[in-house]
Amino acid sequence: MSDYLKDNNYLDFLLKESNEKFQFIFHNTNDLVQILNSELKIEYINENAHLKALGYLKHDLIKFLSGDILHPNEKKDAQKFLKNLTEEGEAVREGRLRNKSGNWIWFSIKGRRILELSDELKYVILLREISKRKNAEQKLKESEERYSYITENANDLIEIINENFEFEYINEEVHKKLLGYSKKDLIGKKLLNFVHADDFLTTIKALKSGFKKGEAEAEIRFKHKDGSWYWLVIRGKTFQDINNKSKALLISRDETKRKKAEKDLKDTMKELKRSNADLEHFAYIASHDLQEPLRMVASFTQLLARRYNDQLDTEAHEFINFAVDGAKRMQHLINDLLSYSKVRTHGQPFMELDMDIILQEVLKDLKYSIEESNTMFMYDPLPKIMGDKLQISQVFQNLISNGIKFNDKEYPLIKISVESKKKKWIFSIRDNGIGIEPKYYDSIFKIFKRLHSRKEYPGTGIGLSICKKIIKRHGGEVWIESNLGKGSVFYFSIPKFRER
Ligand code: ADP
């Protein structure tokens, strides 16, 4: 056998083998393979793969290039693909084809011109399904769009920082609006450069522990572009970016107004407490120091009256009486003011008080005015409470003597009762006196507030405000129920258990 023949057989053999390989791949690959003739008409397809991916057999695919199967948005793309294929010999695109059930499936499409042995031009088209990747890409795009819509339209400041605490992303519009910064002012800069020196440590701690634990929150002052400070409450959450680097997403809210209101309130409270304490101190000193000179005025005026009794005419005696009366009234006022200012500062420690005994002692002290006014008393058995003896006696004394004083009946009646609640006792002092219009329920507890002239009913207008202060010190409340001409009931509550 000549070498030529040998070679020819060998070539046949190789050709056969390659053809078999091609047939095997052609029929078994999952990719869709199509062979087109020089007029771009389909000659062969691997039907199995086509059936599996699109549900079509060869004759269905005649429509393939006619367009029905192509996505309407990609027709131009498809034409360009064929142009490249015929002119350049190669073409690629990604596009959607409609399957038999009418759904669009994504493919990556590659085409190549080949030359058949017969010198005829043919084209091989390879289609690989990429729906999964495309869907994931589409989802990612949608979520990116949603995310950027939310961040750009949020009211909060949103930032991404890296592990060096440098800004990598900011929602620019919000930053411009709230803090005056644009992207170029912040991106690549360190967050700490914008933090108030006093909040430096808090910030570093929060950032470090945030990157360690995955979450953090801090309340810090951040510099506005104009140099002023804004209070931000920053919440952060870490995540790994595509290169596996740790990043933190920060969401911050401007709390400057709340912080300012909080500070103003604190300052006002402090100022109020201070001025109250000053006032109490002043009232105490003044009333204490005024007592002595006043006693001198009263007693020397009285001494004057006695010693020069014969030499003074009636008018002079009358003047002296006025002076003594004024001095006595002033003494009352000063005494009441002194007790008012002493409630908080000079109170005694609380001890167990038998309220029956306290009441009896108070009634004994008021014996003279009780007898003079013909007042009758009714009272329930009273409990034991924890309190300051002098102060609780004073409350009883003030309320009972008011019940006697503000009474126009021939036989004033006062009833003292108690009601047991779960956590407190409610004491009540009821009278059948002149009563009070409801519109004065609150104001009568204010210092110096009186509803009558001194001529009608003597008094200083301090008694009820002392009661209120004492009961408040004991953790209770005092209030009134009354109607004009129908008598009044004064209530005060005392907690059964004292909180320490
Ligand atoms: P004062 O008794 O020195 O006037 P208070 O502070 O004790 O001062 O009382 C304030 C005002 O409340 C009284 O002037 C009076 O108008 C009214 N008031 C107090 N207790 C009674 C009462 N039991 N009945 C009617 N009015 C009362």
Side-chain angles (χ1 to χ4, degrees), residues 369 372-377 399-415 429-435 452 456-458 485-488:
S369 60
E372 198 187 39
S373 59
N374 296 320
T375 307
M376 294 197 300
F377 281 89
L399 296 180
I400 292 171
S401 55
N402 275 352
I404 299 172
K405 178 166 67 173
F406 297 102
N407 208 312
D408 48 3
K409 303 284 178 316
E410 202 181 343
Y411 293 100
L413 182 66
I414 292 180
K415 182 165 191 251
I429 289 101
R430 178 186 297 270
D431 64 53
N432 59 347
I434 60 171
H452 309 277
E456 286 176 285
Y457 298 100
K486 303 241 167 73
S488 316

Side-chain angles (χ1 to χ4, degrees), residues 64 81 91-97 107-111 125-128:
F64 186 12
F81 175 87
V92 244
R93 77 176 185 99
E94 285 184 354
R96 278 158 287 185
L97 300 181
F107 286 96
S108 107
I109 308 169
K110 284 183 187 157
I125 312 281
L126 278 176
L127 299 101
R128 174 165 293 178

Side-chain angles (χ1 to χ4, degrees), residues 241-364:
D241 76 357
I242 201 152
N243 302 316
N244 229 13
K245 294 243 160 60
S246 277
K247 302 276 162 79
L249 178 68
L250 308 181
I251 300 185
S252 316
R253 184 154 286 187
D254 175 16
E255 294 282 2
T256 315
K257 276 195 191 128
R258 178 179 63 79
K259 274 284 188 182
K260 189 173 175 312
E262 254 175 29
K263 187 175 175 299
D264 286 354
L265 194 70
K266 235 190 216 163
D267 289 351
T268 316
M269 290 292 282
K270 217 160 112 189
E271 182 56 28
L272 208 67
K273 261 192 186 153
R274 198 190 53 76
S275 78
N276 251 350
D278 278 0
L279 215 65
E280 239 166 36
H281 188 64
F282 169 77
Y284 177 73
I285 301 276
S287 41
H288 192 267
D289 290 0
L290 280 173
Q291 274 180 326
E292 181 51 29
L294 195 62
R295 254 197 300 272
M296 275 175 71
V297 173
S299 49
F300 278 99
T301 322
Q302 281 166 320
L303 190 66
L304 206 66
R306 278 205 300 277
R307 180 152 315 168
Y308 301 99
N309 193 11
D310 308 338
Q311 293 152 48
L312 296 176
D313 60 13
T314 355
E315 206 173 18
H317 276 293
E318 202 180 322
F319 291 164
I320 285 176
N321 280 342
F322 283 147
V324 173
D325 184 48
K328 277 191 180 150
R329 261 194 294 122
M330 197 155 165
Q331 236 161 13
H332 263 132
L333 198 66
I334 285 170
N335 274 337
D336 283 357
L337 212 55
L338 197 60
S339 348
Y340 180 81
S341 67
K342 273 170 36 174
V343 171
R344 247 174 17 90
T345 48
H346 292 68
Q348 296 300 307
F350 289 5
M351 53 183 200
E352 192 180 76
L353 308 176
D354 185 330
M355 292 296 267
D356 278 326
I357 298 177
I358 302 256
L359 177 64
Q360 292 311 321
E361 284 172 3
V362 168
L363 293 180
K364 213 192 275 167

Side-chain angles (χ1 to χ4, degrees), residues 141-182:
K141 205 172 139 221
E142 279 171 18
S143 112
E144 284 282 316
E145 273 169 11
R146 238 179 301 160
Y147 160 78
S148 69
Y149 179 80
I150 292 171
T151 52
E152 291 305 331
N153 290 284
N155 288 319
D156 292 340
L157 297 151
I158 298 176
E159 294 137 5
I160 291 176
I161 54 164
N162 59 24
E163 269 187 310
N164 299 324
F165 313 148
E166 293 158 347
F167 291 109
E168 290 200 343
Y169 165 85
I170 63 164
N171 56 349
E172 193 173 28
E173 288 312 307
V174 187
H175 278 72
K176 271 189 194 156
K177 205 169 90 193
L178 287 184
L179 299 169
Y181 295 116
S182 65

Side-chain angles (χ1 to χ4, degrees), residues 402 405-406 431 436 444 449-452 459-461 463-464 488:
N402 275 352
K405 178 166 67 173
F406 297 102
D431 64 53
I436 290 169
I444 51 165
K449 177 71 188 178
R450 311 198 68 236
L451 303 180
H452 309 277
T460 57
L464 287 180
S488 316

